Amino acid sequence: MLESFRLEAGELSRAVAGLSETEWDRPTRCEPWSVRELLGHVRVVIAWLPQMLDGSAPDKAEVSAVEYYRPDDRFSPQTNAARIGLAQDHAAGHANGAALAEDFAATWQQVDQMCRDEPEDRVVRTRHGDAMLLSEFLLTRVVEVAVHGLDLADALGREPWLTPEAGAAVLELLLGPDQVDVARELGWDRPTFLRKVTGRAALDTTETALIERLGIRWITLG
């Protein structure tokens, strides 16, 4: 999972390098965030990892990546408001978009290096109190970078830069390993699939029926 994270974060870094200040201020579908604030959010959610890795490891994992997205207080209006504010504050703390992009790159690269030094069975505790395998928590970060990467690409009017590795990881999270091949009958590429199943693009009646037959694991997103 670390490889998927590394590749997707690297693509996002390259995509935002060299943006004009006008582009940084473009609105996104993740209201009220602009492009710079949405990147600030992605940076914030990655930056939880160093503190988690510095903390003591729980005895065992209790929550999977799918269970992490359960609809509880972590996605309440109050928590979402705090999430919005954190991203805005982080973005505002940089002199310009280029500085924010450099900070994002430095953050994910630090996380990548720290995770490389951890054993495969490392368990971490999230800020919400969940005991998770590091690999499962990294999968949730792949979701963040991949899905918000689509949001940023759309806001900037660019083709999606979703990597095959990240797309496959998120697809398996949503469908389970046994249903990934079945999803091909929908005829969607991976960016379209992710937009559809995360509410970023509308489903028609036929598509809704097919999705229900696939037994998708709906996840709650803030």
Side-chain angles (χ1 to χ4, degrees), residues 48 54 71 92 95 118 147 179 221:
W48 296 119
D54 286 339
E118 296 294 332
V147 174
Q179 290 288 76
L221 297 171

Side-chain angles (χ1 to χ4, degrees), residues 32-221:
W33 285 329
S34 62
V35 166
R36 79 176 71 234
E37 290 166 343
L38 182 51
L39 186 70
H41 166 68
V42 179
R43 187 271 184 194
V44 166
V45 300
I46 292 172
W48 296 119
L49 265 158
Q51 182 178 354
M52 291 164 56
L53 292 171
D54 286 339
S56 58
D59 292 335
K60 63 178 181 178
E62 299 172 347
V63 175
S64 69
V66 173
E67 293 165 334
Y68 175 86
Y69 287 105
R70 61 191 183 275
D72 60 13
D73 288 345
R74 75 195 63 201
F75 299 110
S76 69
Q78 294 82 2
T79 305
N80 281 335
R83 186 178 290 117
I84 290 169
L86 278 174
Q88 292 173 327
D89 290 346
H90 182 75
H94 293 80
N96 51 43
L100 176 63
E102 290 174 5
D103 175 66
F104 171 73
T107 299
W108 77 256
Q109 288 166 9
Q110 177 196 13
V111 166
D112 173 44
Q113 186 59 58
M114 291 180 73
C115 289
R116 290 189 208 184
D117 297 333
E118 296 294 332
E120 290 186 7
D121 61 351
R122 173 65 197 270
V123 179
V124 294
R125 190 170 300 282
T126 74
R127 70 189 184 98
H128 301 294
D130 295 326
M132 300 179 68
L133 283 170
L134 175 58
S135 59
E136 287 289 291
F137 186 74
L138 279 171
L139 176 52
T140 70
R141 301 310 89 176
V142 173
V143 172
E144 294 282 346
V145 181
V147 174
H148 286 314
L150 291 177
D151 296 328
L152 289 166
D154 291 345
L156 293 166
R158 296 188 183 179
E159 289 297 313
W161 49 78
L162 180 70
T163 62
E165 294 81 2
V170 180
L171 197 65
E172 185 169 326
L173 168 71
L174 295 169
L175 293 174
D178 298 333
Q179 290 288 76
V180 171
D181 289 339
V182 180
R184 292 177 183 156
E185 69 183 82
L186 290 167
W188 300 334
D189 59 21
R190 283 176 177 161
T192 299
F193 185 93
L194 293 185
R195 289 190 188 99
K196 294 273 190 180
V197 300
T198 60
R200 286 159 168 78
L203 291 166
D204 62 27
T205 303
T206 301
E207 291 169 342
T208 299
L210 286 171
I211 284 289
E212 289 176 352
R213 184 161 60 83
L214 283 173
I216 190 168
R217 298 162 169 171
W218 297 105
I219 60 175
T220 303
L221 297 171

